[in-house]
Amino acid sequence: MLSFLRIFATYSKNIMVRSFPISIAASLIALLTCLQATAQNYRTNLAGGTGDWNDVSSWQVESPNGSNNWIASATFPTSVRNNITVRSGDHIVVTANLTVDQLEIEENGIVTVDPAVNFTVANGPGVDITVFNSGGSFGFLNINGRFLLNNGATHSGLSAANCTFSAGSFYRHLFNQTEGVVPVASWD
């Protein structure tokens, strides 16, 4: 059998034999790169300022995950990322349609959704959106556009003190398998 493979490799000019291991290695590197890119943790990088969600300079990424080594991000986070944190004192403005998962808004952190923008919370692992709410201290979620809670998505910490739906905003409860929980909020 080995002789047959040598003869086949000789007649095929070793293209299959030589390129196969390289193809596997290239595929594995590409796969690992994709997995790393989709599983990274993100946090705002505004030093108490305001920035647009889709501006990459508003974000840092932890590299590698769990290292507490934060570097400038080349992308902005979406629901395919790991944890997304809006840090204390930072104000991030959602100016284009966005889907998030595992979003945490820390104490005094603010997320504002512009008018006519869809802000969708996906159902992923763990709590899908958490807004700080403890002992009279809050993170804040201001909805001026559309807030869509996907089927099975969960939320924590939302209250009339830290979640506001302004006049003209919408809430869409996209549950079709369970009742889900409508967020407690201030509805203008």
Side-chain angles (χ1 to χ4, degrees), residues 100-103 121-131 147-158 173 175 178 180-181 183:
V100 298
D101 179 36
Q102 291 180 276
L103 171 62
V121 178
N123 178 19
V127 178
D128 302 303
I129 183 169
T130 302
V131 183
F147 182 81
L148 295 83
L149 196 61
N150 274 355
N151 186 54
T154 57
H155 55 83
S156 174
L158 296 173
H173 195 72
F175 282 68
T178 65
V181 178

Side-chain angles (χ1 to χ4, degrees), residues 130-153:
T130 302
V131 183
F132 187 86
N133 182 346
S134 178
S137 297
F138 305 100
F140 299 93
L141 178 61
N142 304 315
I143 306 295
N144 299 307
R146 293 177 291 275
F147 182 81
L148 295 83
L149 196 61
N150 274 355
N151 186 54

